[in-house]
Every structure is written in C-alpha cells, then in structure tokens.
Amino acid sequence: MDDESQSYGFGGSGSDKEPTTPISRFGSQISPHSTQPGIENINLDDDNSGAKQKNVHRNKGKVMWSTEEEKCLARAWGTTTNDPKVENAQKSKHLWQSTATYYNDNRPVGTPMREWSLIKSHYYRVMPDVDKFSGWYNNFLNNRASGQSDANVLAAPHDMWKMSNKNNAFKYEHVWKIVMECEKWAP
C-alpha cells in the first residue's frame, strides 16, 4: 500500500488527514436511552431566565397592533409634532420618546406598553401606505368634478388602492383620518 491510500484508512496510521476518533459505520455506539459517564444531562425545561428575557425582548415587536392602538399612535404622533413649544424641530430620538410617552399614557385599556423604538418602527411601516393614499385623495379632491360629494372623492382613492394592490382594501383609513385632522390643526 502506498502512503496516499494509508492516509484515508481507518486506524492509527498517524496521518493528519484522518479523524482523531475512528468512524463507526453504525452511527453512535451509545444507546439513545442511556447516559454516558462524564457528559452532563441537559434539561431543556430548565429555567434559563437570561435567554427567556432575551427572547421576550426580541419578540416584543411581533405583537400585532389593533385598530385602536394605531389610532392612539396617530394621535400621539400628531400631538407631539404639533406641540407649539417645540413643533417638529426635535431630535429624532426625543421626538419618538415623547410620542411613546403620549402613546403609553393614552393607550387603549388592556394593551401593552410599547418602547419608543417599536412605536417608531410601526409608524414607519404604516406611513408609506397612508402617504400614498393621501396623495391620491388630495389629487381627487383638488380635481373634483362639479357635483361630486365627499363620499365620491373618498371612494376614488380606495378604488385606486385596490387596483394597485391586487384588489386588497386600504387598511389604514383610521390612521389616515387622524393624520388628516392633525394636519388641519397644525400651526
């Protein structure tokens, strides 16, 4: 046998290409129901509070927002940005901390408190849709045909939304209405 064929054999040829432990063709030689001396038993149900706390924190953003919570968020944002003392000339973190304070103080009963970063994240997830809808609404409002009612004007951007979103309805009208009101009473 030459050196190359010995380097792939089983046993103790001393080659650095061999595994340090012989490979068994039959898988583990230890019964799956036994314990091996020297290896500690691992209980997967142990209370590992550090890991649980980390997972709870990581999953906080996964809690769904109700319609009432989204309305509260829109009011919190509108109130914070329309504050006559500071208006919207605030640093981003301070703006969102103030918004979170308002939100958490006024949130619907039975809903969880939310950190400012999660409030900011949800706001930025919702607002592109609200802004797109608002643009269409303003376009239809400014180009309203004679005799067209407010209901007709509002129906047009809903139709546009459905056409451009695979026949799905616009799901943030409750936020859009509050944002529109906030813009009316802005300084």
Side-chain angles (χ1 to χ4, degrees):
M1 231 188 222
D2 62 7
D3 288 337
E4 191 174 324
S5 64
Q6 287 180 357
S7 66
Y8 295 107
F10 297 106
S13 71
S15 169
D16 59 346
K17 292 183 180 179
E18 280 185 356
T20 56
T21 350
I23 299 174
S24 169
R25 294 185 307 170
F26 304 108
S28 175
Q29 296 174 352
I30 301 171
S31 165
H33 301 292
S34 70
T35 58
Q36 184 177 8
I39 296 179
E40 88 180 60
N41 291 328
I42 299 172
N43 184 354
L44 297 176
D45 296 327
D46 279 348
D47 182 20
N48 188 353
S49 60
K52 284 185 179 180
Q53 289 291 4
K54 188 181 251 184
N55 286 336
V56 167
H57 179 70
R58 184 180 52 158
N59 291 331
K60 279 185 180 177
K62 304 289 184 195
V63 177
M64 297 297 292
W65 286 69
S66 69
T67 300
E68 292 306 311
E69 288 175 293
E70 288 175 339
K71 286 179 180 181
C72 184
L73 170 59
R75 283 189 296 276
W77 176 83
T79 301
T80 305
T81 57
N82 289 326
D83 184 349
K85 292 179 185 172
V86 290
E87 296 179 338
N88 57 6
Q90 303 175 56
K91 298 266 187 208
S92 177
K93 186 175 179 179
H94 185 264
L95 169 73
W96 289 108
Q97 287 173 335
S98 298
T99 302
T101 299
Y102 182 95
Y103 172 84
N104 286 317
D105 289 347
N106 298 286
R107 73 185 190 281
V109 175
T111 59
M113 289 186 72
R114 300 197 187 254
E115 295 176 19
W116 71 268
S117 58
L118 297 176
I119 289 173
K120 176 184 175 183
S121 175
H122 190 70
Y123 177 84
Y124 282 116
R125 196 172 313 121
V126 169
M127 286 314 290
D129 290 349
V130 171
D131 287 342
K132 181 187 276 189
F133 184 85
S134 186
W136 287 336
Y137 174 81
N138 289 334
N139 187 33
F140 285 112
L141 182 66
N142 293 335
N143 297 306
R144 177 194 306 224
S146 177
Q148 209 174 21
S149 70
D150 289 342
N152 292 353
V153 172
L154 185 56
H158 277 288
D159 293 342
M160 287 288 293
W161 184 269
K162 282 185 173 184
M163 285 192 308
S164 67
N165 289 284
K166 299 178 183 176
N167 211 29
N168 291 322
F170 177 60
K171 61 183 179 179
Y172 298 121
E173 185 173 347
H174 55 282
V175 174
W176 173 77
K177 286 179 178 179
I178 293 169
V179 170
M180 293 294 286
E181 285 300 313
C182 290
E183 289 176 1
K184 287 179 184 176
W185 49 267

